[in-house]
Amino acid sequence: MAALLQGIGAAAALSSTSLDSKRFEVSSLKSLPIQTARKGRVFAIRSDSRDITLGSSNNKARSSPKLVANAVATKNEGSTASTTSKPGHELLLFEALREGLEEEMDRDATVCVIGEDVGHYGGSYKVTKGLATKFGDLRVLDTPIAENSFTGMAIGAAMTGLRPVIEGMNMGFLLLAFNQISNNCGMLHYTSGGQFKIPVVIRGPGGVGRQLGAEHSQRLESYFQSIPGIQMVACSTPYNAKGLMKAAIRSENPVILFEHVLLYNLKERIPDEEYICSLEEAEMVRPGEDITILTYSRMRYHVMQAAKTLVNKGYDPEVIDIRSLKPFDLHTIGNSIKKTHRVLIVEECMRTGGIGASLTAAINENFHDYLDAPVICLSSQDVPTPYAGTLEEFTIVQPAQIVAAVEKLCQ
């Protein structure tokens, strides 16, 4: 099998010259799959906050707060131009991931994809749709249901010069490959004395979805953050999803890219020109003066909903999407703390040993003298995620809790 993967680069180089490099058509919203074994909702969100469409397989399902993809929580909300007049093109988040992956496969014949159903089926959420037809079965390799085996195979391929992108059908399944990710993927560059590089990207859907049950609602950031040698990033918009995908593939380090299952249908206009996002920089979502709110992934939208309420109450929060979960962008975070002197962390990760716990420790270690109040961290409860919709909602942070925490900090 190692010999098979070692020949992927050569085979891809021969085949890529005869392939039409024209970008395939973007799928419509209706083409995003709903896992038939799961009961839940799929939603689409426009980046201009004009349209939010919710579909449900259960009319009696609970009603939840609408997510505003680009909530502008400023004191002076002016009218914006129609998105049709802006340059660039609109993509859903899963399409932006695909576009970034396709561009890198066009650019570099050593980039390949490996995982369950990534081939002609197109992946569990269609991130790899059409790539097997364009690049062939050797560069988009379907595997058996054997996460430990194909993750180890991809790591071995990376050691021989390829750049594999490993898709976990669900991030929770990658717990079966934990030994390969920790002992080999993260450490081989060091334990080999620098003889080997492991330019691997590990990506896939995770987070609390819509009634997917405990096993399919895993947040593995806390599991992987302690592994030496691994970088971790979390995308939250189509723009940074594409940019982080491209940057992760080009990195010489192993990178885990966390994608939230409820953000795949997020829509945004992104540039036509090529771009990448830094793997180590946070994003300033909303400048403010009163308090620094640090968040990432899906919680970015809960925070922005809360920010609109806070502005109406007279507060001026600064919102930062940390994006880089390891290492933290302490430069951006520190500059914000020196200005606001108060910090609220909002995450979907578990409270015990989560990203918020590590971030709290880093802030207290580096910026303690600038704090006027203790750091508060809002996290998911330390319980398995319930299947029941109403109970599931109680386990994760809601906008009202964010508003209450800010009011407490700013007293």
Side-chain angles (χ1 to χ4, degrees):
M1 191 60 81
L4 169 66
L5 278 175
Q6 196 168 9
I8 291 179
L14 290 174
S15 62
S16 62
T17 57
S18 61
L19 289 172
D20 182 4
S21 61
K22 180 180 67 176
R23 290 202 303 223
F24 51 86
E25 293 183 0
V26 173
S27 303
S28 67
L29 172 62
K30 295 181 180 178
S31 68
L32 186 72
I34 305 173
Q35 289 180 309
T36 55
R38 305 283 181 248
K39 179 174 65 175
R41 302 178 181 178
V42 171
F43 57 90
I45 313 173
R46 291 188 61 90
S47 61
D48 56 7
S49 306
R50 291 183 301 165
D51 302 318
I52 298 179
T53 305
L54 288 171
S56 175
S57 59
N58 181 2
N59 291 330
K60 296 181 180 179
R62 73 187 188 283
S63 60
S64 57
K66 292 182 179 180
L67 296 181
V68 182
N70 193 16
V72 182
T74 59
K75 295 177 181 178
N76 183 18
E77 298 191 28
S79 60
T80 58
S82 170
T83 56
T84 57
S85 64
K86 297 178 181 178
H89 55 289
E90 275 194 340
L91 289 179
L92 302 174
L93 189 143
F94 80 95
E95 295 170 330
L97 288 166
R98 181 201 302 155
E99 185 171 273
L101 177 56
E102 183 188 13
E103 287 179 6
E104 291 305 300
M105 293 183 76
D106 276 328
R107 189 186 70 87
D108 185 349
T110 65
V111 179
C112 55
V113 181
I114 183 169
E116 300 151 347
D117 285 338
V118 297
H120 294 282
Y121 182 73
S124 55
Y125 288 88
K126 300 306 179 191
V127 172
T128 58
K129 182 180 179 181
L131 298 186
T133 302
K134 178 174 181 178
F135 296 105
D137 294 337
L138 283 179
R139 291 188 69 189
V140 186
L141 185 63
D142 269 327
T143 68
I145 303 175
E147 286 79 8
N148 192 58
S149 298
F150 69 69
T151 301
M153 189 165 62
I155 293 168
M159 293 169 66
T160 66
L162 299 183
R163 292 182 175 272
V165 178
I166 304 168
E167 175 175 316
M169 183 179 289
N170 183 282
M171 288 300 272
F173 301 160
L174 291 179
L175 289 175
L176 298 168
F178 194 86
N179 174 62
Q180 292 288 355
I181 295 170
S182 59
N183 288 331
N184 293 329
C185 187
M187 299 185 191
L188 270 173
H189 179 66
Y190 173 79
T191 56
S192 68
Q195 295 179 72
F196 297 111
K197 294 179 180 178
I198 317 293
V200 165
V201 178
I202 301 171
R203 54 153 297 271
V208 179
R210 286 284 189 266
Q211 295 182 258
L212 299 181
E215 298 89 345
H216 289 73
S217 300
Q218 296 276 25
R219 288 133 287 176
L220 299 190
E221 306 95 293
S222 59
Y223 289 71
F224 293 130
Q225 68 172 326
S226 61
I227 301 174
I230 286 182
Q231 287 187 267
M232 303 195 311
V233 292
C235 61
S236 54
T237 68
Y239 178 87
N240 66 40
K242 179 181 177 180
L244 291 173
M245 170 72 86
K246 291 171 72 70
I249 292 172
R250 297 185 189 187
S251 175
E252 297 298 329
N253 299 312
V255 179
I256 302 178
L257 173 59
F258 292 96
E259 305 156 13
H260 200 288
V261 66
L262 290 184
L263 297 185
Y264 278 129
N265 265 7
L266 192 71
K267 181 179 284 189
E268 184 180 32
R269 187 170 293 274
I270 67 174
D272 293 326
E273 300 79 15
E274 184 180 27
Y275 68 92
I276 63 172
C277 296
S278 172
L279 295 175
E280 299 179 4
E281 288 184 5
E283 176 188 349
M284 179 66 68
V285 181
R286 182 194 188 277
E289 299 290 336
D290 294 341
I291 185 172
T292 298
I293 305 180
L294 305 174
T295 188
Y296 66 94
S297 190
R298 178 195 176 193
M299 287 295 112
R300 168 176 174 154
Y301 301 104
H302 282 213
V303 168
M304 292 308 291
Q305 283 182 267
K308 298 191 79 170
T309 301
L310 290 168
V311 167
N312 291 334
K313 288 175 173 280
Y315 298 98
D316 187 18
E318 179 154 291
V319 179
I320 296 176
D321 184 342
I322 63 173
R323 286 201 316 204
S324 176
L325 308 185
K326 183 184 178 182
F328 296 130
D329 179 5
L330 292 180
H331 175 74
T332 301
I333 293 169
N335 285 339
S336 178
I337 293 172
K338 291 173 185 178
K339 177 174 60 173
T340 66
H341 308 292
R342 293 174 175 81
V343 182
L344 173 64
I345 300 170
V346 182
E347 63 175 347
E348 194 180 84
C349 199
M350 299 297 187
R351 182 171 185 81
T352 302
I355 296 297
S358 297
L359 190 53
T360 300
I363 291 170
N364 285 326
E365 206 172 276
N366 292 279
F367 309 109
H368 180 268
D369 290 344
Y370 296 97
L371 294 173
D372 289 343
V375 177
I376 290 182
C377 181
L378 300 179
S379 312
S380 293
Q381 296 183 34
D382 287 334
V383 297
T385 304
Y387 174 77
T390 50
L391 295 178
E392 177 187 75
E393 193 172 271
F394 280 122
T395 66
I396 61 175
V397 181
Q398 299 299 328
Q401 295 171 270
I402 301 170
V403 172
V406 170
E407 291 176 331
K408 177 180 178 181
L409 276 169
C410 293
Q411 283 179 349

